[in-house]
Coordinates of all heavy atoms in Angstrom, one line a residue:
M93 N -96.2 220.6 25.9 CA -96.9 221.0 27.1 C -98.4 220.7 26.9 O -99.1 220.3 27.8 CB -96.7 222.5 27.3 CG -97.3 223.0 28.6 SD -96.6 222.3 30.1 CE -97.6 222.9 31.3
T94 N -98.9 221.0 25.7 CA -100.3 220.7 25.5 C -100.7 219.3 25.6 O -101.8 218.9 25.9 CB -100.7 221.3 24.1 OG1 -99.8 220.8 23.1 CG2 -100.7 222.8 24.1
R95 N -99.7 218.4 25.2 CA -99.9 217.0 25.3 C -100.1 216.6 26.8 O -101.0 215.8 27.1 CB -98.7 216.2 24.8 CG -98.8 215.9 23.3 CD -97.7 214.9 22.9 NE -97.6 214.9 21.4 CZ -96.6 214.3 20.8 NH1 -95.7 213.7 21.5 NH2 -96.6 214.2 19.5
I96 N -99.3 217.1 27.7 CA -99.5 216.8 29.1 C -100.8 217.3 29.6 O -101.5 216.5 30.3 CB -98.4 217.5 29.9 CG1 -97.0 216.9 29.5 CG2 -98.6 217.3 31.4 CD1 -95.8 217.6 30.1
L97 N -101.2 218.5 29.2 CA -102.6 219.0 29.6 C -103.7 218.1 29.1 O -104.7 217.8 29.7 CB -102.8 220.4 29.2 CG -101.9 221.5 29.9 CD1 -102.1 222.8 29.3 CD2 -102.3 221.5 31.4
F98 N -103.5 217.7 27.8 CA -104.5 216.8 27.2 C -104.6 215.5 28.0 O -105.7 215.0 28.3 CB -104.1 216.5 25.7 CG -104.9 215.4 25.1 CD1 -106.2 215.6 24.7 CD2 -104.4 214.1 25.0 CE1 -106.9 214.6 24.1 CE2 -105.1 213.1 24.4 CZ -106.4 213.3 24.0
W99 N -103.5 214.9 28.3 CA -103.6 213.6 29.1 C -104.1 213.8 30.5 O -104.9 213.0 31.0 CB -102.2 212.9 29.1 CG -101.8 212.3 27.8 CD1 -100.9 212.7 26.9 CD2 -102.5 211.2 27.2 NE1 -100.9 211.9 25.8 CE2 -101.8 210.9 26.0 CE3 -103.5 210.3 27.6 CZ2 -102.2 209.9 25.1 CZ3 -103.9 209.3 26.8 CH2 -103.2 209.1 25.6
L100 N -103.7 214.9 31.1 CA -104.3 215.2 32.4 C -105.8 215.3 32.4 O -106.5 214.8 33.2 CB -103.7 216.4 33.0 CG -102.2 216.3 33.6 CD1 -101.7 217.6 34.0 CD2 -102.2 215.3 34.7
A101 N -106.3 216.1 31.4 CA -107.7 216.2 31.2 C -108.4 214.9 30.9 O -109.5 214.6 31.5 CB -108.0 217.2 30.1
L102 N -107.8 214.1 30.1 CA -108.4 212.8 29.8 C -108.5 211.9 31.0 O -109.5 211.3 31.3 CB -107.5 212.1 28.7 CG -108.1 210.8 28.1 CD1 -109.4 211.1 27.4 CD2 -107.1 210.1 27.2
I103 N -107.4 211.9 31.8 CA -107.3 211.1 33.0 C -108.4 211.6 34.0 O -109.1 210.8 34.6 CB -105.9 211.1 33.7 CG1 -105.0 210.3 32.8 CG2 -106.0 210.5 35.1 CD1 -103.5 210.5 33.2
F104 N -108.5 212.9 34.1 CA -109.5 213.4 35.0 C -110.9 213.0 34.6 O -111.8 212.6 35.4 CB -109.4 215.0 35.0 CG -110.5 215.6 35.8 CD1 -110.4 215.7 37.2 CD2 -111.6 216.2 35.2 CE1 -111.4 216.3 37.9 CE2 -112.6 216.8 35.9 CZ -112.5 216.8 37.3
L105 N -111.2 213.1 33.3 CA -112.5 212.7 32.8 C -112.8 211.2 33.1 O -113.9 210.8 33.5 CB -112.7 213.0 31.3 CG -112.8 214.5 31.0 CD1 -112.8 214.7 29.5 CD2 -114.1 215.1 31.6
V106 N -111.8 210.4 32.8 CA -112.0 208.9 33.1 C -112.3 208.7 34.5 O -113.2 207.9 34.9 CB -110.8 208.2 32.6 CG1 -110.8 206.7 33.0 CG2 -110.7 208.2 31.0
V107 N -111.5 209.3 35.4 CA -111.7 209.1 36.8 C -113.1 209.6 37.3 O -113.8 208.9 38.0 CB -110.6 209.8 37.6 CG1 -110.9 209.9 39.1 CG2 -109.2 209.1 37.4
A108 N -113.5 210.8 36.8 CA -114.8 211.3 37.1 C -115.9 210.4 36.6 O -116.9 210.1 37.3 CB -115.0 212.7 36.5
A109 N -115.7 209.8 35.4 CA -116.7 208.9 34.9 C -116.8 207.6 35.7 O -117.9 207.1 36.0 CB -116.4 208.5 33.4
I110 N -115.7 207.1 36.1 CA -115.7 205.9 36.9 C -116.3 206.1 38.3 O -117.1 205.3 38.8 CB -114.2 205.4 37.1 CG1 -113.7 204.8 35.8 CG2 -114.1 204.3 38.2 CD1 -112.2 204.5 35.8
R111 N -116.0 207.3 38.9 CA -116.5 207.6 40.2 C -118.1 207.7 40.2 O -118.8 207.3 41.0 CB -115.9 208.9 40.8 CG -114.4 208.7 41.2 CD -113.9 209.9 41.8 NE -114.4 210.1 43.1 CZ -114.0 211.1 43.9 NH1 -113.2 212.0 43.5 NH2 -114.6 211.2 45.1
S112 N -118.6 208.4 39.1 CA -120.0 208.6 39.0 C -120.7 207.2 38.8 O -121.8 206.9 39.2 CB -120.4 209.5 37.9 OG -120.0 209.0 36.6
K113 N -120.0 206.4 38.0 CA -120.5 205.0 37.7 C -120.6 204.2 39.0 O -121.6 203.5 39.3 CB -119.6 204.3 36.7 CG -120.2 203.2 36.0 CD -120.9 203.6 34.8 CE -121.3 202.4 33.9 NZ -122.1 202.8 32.7
L114 N -119.5 204.3 39.8 CA -119.5 203.5 41.1 C -120.6 204.1 42.0 O -121.2 203.3 42.7 CB -118.1 203.6 41.7 CG -117.0 202.8 41.0 CD1 -115.7 203.1 41.7 CD2 -117.3 201.3 41.1
K115 N -120.7 205.4 42.0 CA -121.7 205.9 43.0 C -123.1 205.5 42.6 O -123.9 205.2 43.5 CB -121.6 207.5 42.9 CG -122.2 208.1 44.1 CD -122.0 209.6 44.0 CE -120.6 210.1 44.4 NZ -120.4 211.5 44.3
S116 N -123.4 205.5 41.3 CA -124.8 205.0 40.9 C -125.0 203.6 41.1 O -126.1 203.1 41.3 CB -125.0 205.5 39.5 OG -124.2 204.7 38.6
A117 N -123.9 202.8 41.0 CA -124.0 201.3 41.1 C -124.1 200.9 42.5 O -124.7 199.9 42.9 CB -122.8 200.7 40.5
S118 N -123.6 201.7 43.5 CA -123.6 201.3 44.9 C -125.0 201.4 45.5 O -125.3 200.7 46.4 CB -122.6 202.1 45.7 OG -123.0 203.5 45.6
R119 N -125.8 202.4 45.0 CA -127.1 202.5 45.6 C -128.1 202.9 44.5 O -128.7 204.0 44.6 CB -127.1 203.6 46.7 CG -126.4 204.8 46.3 CD -126.4 205.8 47.5 NE -125.7 207.0 47.1 CZ -125.7 208.1 47.7 NH1 -126.6 208.3 48.7 NH2 -125.0 209.2 47.4
P120 N -128.4 202.0 43.6 CA -129.4 202.4 42.6 C -130.8 202.3 43.1 O -131.7 203.1 42.6 CB -129.2 201.3 41.5 CG -128.5 200.2 42.2 CD -127.8 200.8 43.4
P121 N -131.2 201.4 44.0 CA -132.6 201.3 44.4 C -133.2 202.6 45.0 O -134.3 203.0 44.6 CB -132.7 200.2 45.4 CG -131.4 199.4 45.1 CD -130.4 200.4 44.7
E122 N -132.4 203.2 45.9 CA -132.9 204.4 46.5 C -133.1 205.6 45.5 O -134.0 206.3 45.6 CB -131.9 204.9 47.6 CG -132.0 204.0 48.9 CD -131.1 202.7 48.7 OE1 -130.4 202.6 47.7 OE2 -131.2 201.9 49.6
Q123 N -132.1 205.7 44.6 CA -132.2 206.8 43.7 C -133.2 206.6 42.6 O -133.9 207.5 42.2 CB -130.8 207.0 43.0 CG -129.8 207.6 44.0 CD -128.4 207.8 43.4 OE1 -128.2 207.2 42.3 NE2 -127.6 208.6 44.0
Q124 N -133.4 205.4 42.1 CA -134.3 205.2 41.0 C -135.7 205.0 41.4 O -136.6 205.6 40.8 CB -133.9 203.9 40.2 CG -132.5 204.1 39.5 CD -132.0 202.8 38.9 OE1 -132.7 201.8 39.0 NE2 -130.9 202.9 38.2
S125 N -136.0 204.3 42.5 CA -137.4 204.1 42.9 C -137.5 204.2 44.4 O -137.8 203.2 45.0 CB -137.9 202.8 42.4 OG -137.1 201.8 42.8
G126 N -137.2 205.3 45.0 CA -137.2 205.5 46.4 C -138.6 205.2 47.0 O -138.7 204.6 48.1
R127 N -139.6 205.7 46.4 CA -141.0 205.6 46.9 C -141.4 204.1 46.9 O -141.9 203.6 47.9 CB -142.0 206.4 46.2 CG -143.2 206.7 46.9 CD -144.2 207.6 46.1 NE -143.6 208.9 45.9 CZ -144.1 209.8 45.0 NH1 -145.1 209.5 44.3 NH2 -143.5 211.0 44.9
A128 N -141.2 203.4 45.8 CA -141.6 202.0 45.7 C -140.8 201.2 46.7 O -141.3 200.3 47.3 CB -141.4 201.5 44.3
R129 N -139.5 201.5 46.8 CA -138.6 200.8 47.7 C -139.1 200.9 49.2 O -139.1 200.0 49.9 CB -137.2 201.3 47.6 CG -136.2 200.5 48.3 CD -135.9 199.2 47.6 NE -134.8 198.5 48.2 CZ -134.4 197.3 47.8 NH1 -135.0 196.7 46.8 NH2 -133.4 196.7 48.4
A130 N -139.5 202.1 49.5 CA -140.0 202.3 50.9 C -141.2 201.6 51.2 O -141.4 201.0 52.3 CB -140.2 203.8 51.2
A131 N -142.1 201.4 50.2 CA -143.3 200.7 50.4 C -143.1 199.2 50.5 O -143.8 198.5 51.3 CB -144.3 200.9 49.2
E132 N -142.0 198.7 49.8 CA -141.7 197.3 49.9 C -140.8 196.9 51.2 O -140.7 195.8 51.5 CB -140.9 196.8 48.7 CG -141.7 196.9 47.4 CD -140.8 196.7 46.2 OE1 -139.7 196.3 46.3 OE2 -141.3 196.9 45.1
A133 N -140.3 197.9 51.8 CA -139.4 197.7 52.9 C -140.1 197.0 54.0 O -141.2 197.3 54.3 CB -138.8 199.0 53.4
P134 N -139.4 196.0 54.6 CA -140.1 195.2 55.7 C -140.2 196.1 56.9 O -139.5 197.1 57.1 CB -139.1 194.1 56.0 CG -137.8 194.6 55.5 CD -138.1 195.5 54.4
P135 N -141.2 195.9 57.8 CA -141.4 196.7 59.0 C -140.2 196.5 59.9 O -139.4 195.6 59.9 CB -142.6 196.1 59.6 CG -142.7 194.7 59.1 CD -142.1 194.8 57.7
Q136 N -140.0 197.5 60.7 CA -138.9 197.5 61.6 C -138.9 196.3 62.6 O -140.0 196.0 63.1 CB -138.9 198.8 62.5 CG -138.4 200.0 61.7 CD -137.0 200.0 61.3 OE1 -136.1 199.6 62.2 NE2 -136.6 200.4 60.1
A137 N -137.8 195.7 62.7 CA -137.7 194.5 63.6 C -137.9 195.0 65.1 O -137.4 196.0 65.5 CB -136.4 193.8 63.5
E138 N -138.8 194.2 65.8 CA -139.0 194.6 67.1 C -138.0 194.0 68.1 O -137.4 193.0 67.8 CB -140.4 194.0 67.5 CG -140.9 194.6 68.9 CD -142.3 194.1 69.1 OE1 -142.9 193.5 68.3 OE2 -142.8 194.4 70.3
A139 N -137.7 194.8 69.1 CA -136.7 194.3 70.0 C -137.2 193.1 70.8 O -138.4 192.9 71.0 CB -136.4 195.4 71.0
M140 N -136.3 192.2 71.0 CA -136.6 190.9 71.7 C -136.0 190.9 73.1 O -134.9 191.4 73.3 CB -136.0 189.7 70.9 CG -136.6 189.6 69.5 SD -138.3 189.3 69.4 CE -138.4 187.5 69.7
L141 N -136.8 190.3 74.0 CA -136.3 190.2 75.4 C -136.3 188.8 75.8 O -136.9 187.9 75.2 CB -137.3 191.0 76.3 CG -137.4 192.5 76.1 CD1 -138.5 193.1 77.0 CD2 -136.0 193.2 76.4
C142 N -135.6 188.5 76.9 CA -135.4 187.1 77.3 C -136.1 187.0 78.7 O -135.9 187.8 79.6 CB -133.9 186.8 77.5 SG -133.6 185.1 78.0
C143 N -137.0 186.0 78.8 CA -137.7 185.8 80.0 C -136.8 185.4 81.2 O -136.0 184.5 81.0 CB -138.8 184.7 79.8 SG -139.8 184.4 81.3
S144 N -137.0 186.0 82.3 CA -136.1 185.7 83.5 C -136.4 184.3 84.1 O -135.6 183.8 84.8 CB -136.2 186.8 84.5 OG -135.7 188.0 84.1
H145 N -137.6 183.8 83.8 CA -138.0 182.5 84.4 C -137.7 181.4 83.4 O -137.0 180.4 83.8 CB -139.5 182.5 84.7 CG -140.0 181.2 85.2 ND1 -139.7 180.8 86.5 CD2 -140.7 180.2 84.7 CE1 -140.2 179.6 86.7 NE2 -140.8 179.2 85.6
C146 N -138.2 181.4 82.2 CA -138.0 180.3 81.3 C -137.0 180.5 80.2 O -136.6 179.5 79.6 CB -139.4 179.9 80.7 SG -140.0 181.2 79.6
G147 N -136.5 181.7 80.1 CA -135.4 182.0 79.1 C -135.9 182.1 77.7 O -135.0 182.2 76.8
V148 N -137.2 182.0 77.4 CA -137.6 182.2 76.1 C -137.5 183.6 75.6 O -137.6 184.5 76.4 CB -139.1 181.7 76.0 CG1 -140.1 182.7 76.6 CG2 -139.5 181.4 74.5
H149 N -137.3 183.8 74.3 CA -137.2 185.2 73.8 C -138.5 185.5 73.2 O -139.2 184.7 72.5 CB -136.1 185.2 72.7 CG -134.7 185.2 73.2 ND1 -134.1 184.0 73.6 CD2 -133.8 186.2 73.5 CE1 -132.9 184.3 74.1 NE2 -132.7 185.6 74.0
Y150 N -139.0 186.8 73.5 CA -140.3 187.2 73.1 C -140.2 188.7 72.7 O -139.3 189.4 73.1 CB -141.3 187.0 74.2 CG -140.9 187.6 75.5 CD1 -141.4 188.9 75.8 CD2 -140.0 187.0 76.3 CE1 -141.0 189.5 77.0 CE2 -139.6 187.7 77.5 CZ -140.1 188.9 77.8 OH -139.7 189.5 79.0
P151 N -141.2 189.2 71.9 CA -141.2 190.6 71.6 C -141.3 191.5 72.8 O -142.0 191.2 73.8 CB -142.4 190.8 70.7 CG -142.7 189.4 70.2 CD -142.3 188.5 71.3
A152 N -140.7 192.7 72.7 CA -140.6 193.6 73.8 C -142.1 194.1 74.1 O -142.3 194.5 75.3 CB -139.7 194.8 73.6
S153 N -143.0 194.1 73.1 CA -144.3 194.6 73.4 C -145.1 193.7 74.3 O -146.1 194.1 74.9 CB -145.0 194.8 72.0 OG -145.1 193.6 71.4
E154 N -144.7 192.4 74.4 CA -145.4 191.5 75.2 C -144.7 191.3 76.6 O -145.0 190.4 77.3 CB -145.4 190.1 74.5 CG -146.1 190.1 73.2 CD -146.1 188.8 72.5 OE1 -145.7 187.8 73.1 OE2 -146.4 188.7 71.3
N155 N -143.8 192.3 76.9 CA -143.1 192.1 78.1 C -143.9 192.4 79.4 O -144.8 193.2 79.4 CB -141.9 193.2 78.1 CG -141.1 193.1 79.4 OD1 -140.8 192.0 79.8 ND2 -140.7 194.2 79.9
V156 N -143.7 191.6 80.4 CA -144.3 191.7 81.7 C -143.2 192.0 82.7 O -142.5 191.1 83.0 CB -145.2 190.5 82.1 CG1 -145.8 190.7 83.5 CG2 -146.2 190.2 81.1
A157 N -143.1 193.2 83.1 CA -142.0 193.6 84.0 C -142.4 193.4 85.4 O -143.6 193.8 85.8 CB -141.5 195.0 83.7
S158 N -141.6 192.8 86.2 CA -141.9 192.6 87.7 C -140.6 192.6 88.4 O -139.7 191.8 88.1 CB -142.7 191.3 87.8 OG -142.9 191.1 89.2
D159 N -140.5 193.4 89.5 CA -139.3 193.5 90.3 C -138.1 193.8 89.5 O -137.0 193.2 89.8 CB -139.2 192.2 91.1 CG -140.3 191.9 92.0 OD1 -141.0 192.9 92.5 OD2 -140.6 190.7 92.3
G160 N -138.2 194.6 88.5 CA -137.0 195.0 87.7 C -136.6 193.9 86.7 O -135.5 194.0 86.1
R161 N -137.3 192.8 86.6 CA -137.0 191.7 85.7 C -138.1 191.7 84.6 O -139.2 192.1 84.8 CB -136.9 190.4 86.4 CG -135.7 190.3 87.3 CD -135.8 189.0 88.2 NE -134.5 188.9 88.9 CZ -133.7 187.8 88.9 NH1 -134.1 186.8 88.1 NH2 -132.6 187.7 89.6
N162 N -137.7 191.0 83.5 CA -138.6 190.9 82.4 C -139.1 189.5 82.3 O -138.3 188.5 82.4 CB -137.9 191.3 81.1 CG -137.5 192.8 81.1 OD1 -138.2 193.6 81.6 ND2 -136.3 193.1 80.6
Y163 N -140.4 189.3 82.0 CA -141.0 188.0 81.9 C -141.8 187.9 80.7 O -142.4 188.9 80.2 CB -141.8 187.7 83.1 CG -141.1 187.7 84.4 CD1 -141.0 188.8 85.2 CD2 -140.4 186.5 84.8 CE1 -140.2 188.8 86.4 CE2 -139.7 186.5 86.0 CZ -139.6 187.6 86.8 OH -138.9 187.6 88.0
C164 N -142.0 186.7 80.1 CA -142.8 186.5 78.9 C -144.3 186.6 79.2 O -145.0 186.8 78.3 CB -142.4 185.2 78.3 SG -142.8 183.7 79.3
S165 N -144.7 186.3 80.4 CA -146.1 186.3 80.7 C -146.3 186.6 82.2 O -145.4 186.5 83.0 CB -146.7 184.9 80.4 OG -146.1 183.9 81.2
A166 N -147.6 186.9 82.5 CA -147.9 187.2 83.9 C -147.7 186.0 84.8 O -147.4 186.1 85.9 CB -149.4 187.7 84.0
A167 N -147.9 184.8 84.2 CA -147.8 183.6 85.0 C -146.3 183.4 85.4 O -146.0 183.1 86.6 CB -148.2 182.4 84.1
H168 N -145.4 183.7 84.5 CA -144.0 183.6 84.9 C -143.5 184.7 85.8 O -142.6 184.6 86.5 CB -143.1 183.5 83.6 CG -143.2 182.2 82.9 ND1 -142.5 181.9 81.8 CD2 -143.8 181.0 83.3 CE1 -142.7 180.6 81.5 NE2 -143.6 180.1 82.4
A169 N -144.2 185.9 85.7 CA -143.8 187.0 86.5 C -144.1 186.7 88.0 O -143.4 187.1 88.9 CB -144.6 188.3 86.1
G170 N -145.1 185.8 88.2 CA -145.4 185.5 89.6 C -144.6 184.3 90.2 O -144.6 184.1 91.4
L171 N -143.8 183.7 89.3 CA -143.0 182.5 89.8 C -141.6 183.0 90.1 O -141.1 183.9 89.4 CB -143.0 181.5 88.7 CG -144.3 180.8 88.3 CD1 -144.1 179.9 87.1 CD2 -144.8 180.0 89.5
P172 N -140.9 182.4 91.0 CA -139.5 182.7 91.3 C -138.6 182.2 90.2 O -138.9 181.2 89.5 CB -139.2 182.0 92.6 CG -140.2 180.8 92.6 CD -141.4 181.3 91.9
A173 N -137.5 182.9 90.0 CA -136.6 182.5 89.0 C -135.9 181.1 89.4 O -135.7 180.9 90.6 CB -135.5 183.5 88.8
P174 N -135.7 180.2 88.4 CA -135.2 178.9 88.7 C -133.7 179.0 89.2 O -133.0 179.8 88.7 CB -135.3 178.1 87.4 CG -135.3 179.2 86.4 CD -136.0 180.4 87.0
Ligands
ZN284 ZN1 -141.2 182.8 80.6

């Protein structure tokens, strides 16, 4: 009976060791150097919109909205869609 308990305890320890190893291997950057990683992280990607006139993709911050449509510039906002 003690042999069975010994093997069960051994298996449990091995499984626990493997799980902790996998957990630390799956995300080491955040745990080890979270602050440095955040500083190196690229800025958030800006949403892109498609111009209703020329079809070019441009950042949402440069959007010129007119008549419920999105345009890349004021010049295209005044032109009719092709
Ligand atoms: Zn355009």
Side-chain angles (χ1 to χ4, degrees):
M93 185 64 186
T94 50
R95 271 191 194 171
I96 295 173
L97 289 175
F98 169 76
W99 284 110
L100 284 175
L102 186 67
I103 291 169
F104 174 78
L105 286 174
V106 168
V107 168
I110 291 173
R111 290 184 72 178
S112 68
K113 198 89 168 177
L114 287 176
K115 202 178 282 183
S116 65
S118 63
R119 47 178 177 164
E122 287 84 8
Q123 288 181 340
Q124 290 174 358
S125 58
R127 199 177 298 167
R129 188 75 174 177
E132 296 172 8
Q136 285 291 319
E138 189 173 354
M140 300 295 282
L141 296 173
C142 182
C143 179
S144 295
H145 178 74
C146 64
V148 75
H149 287 81
Y150 56 96
S153 61
E154 299 175 13
N155 183 41
V156 178
S158 178
D159 298 334
R161 291 174 173 234
N162 297 320
Y163 298 94
C164 64
S165 62
H168 282 179
L171 295 173

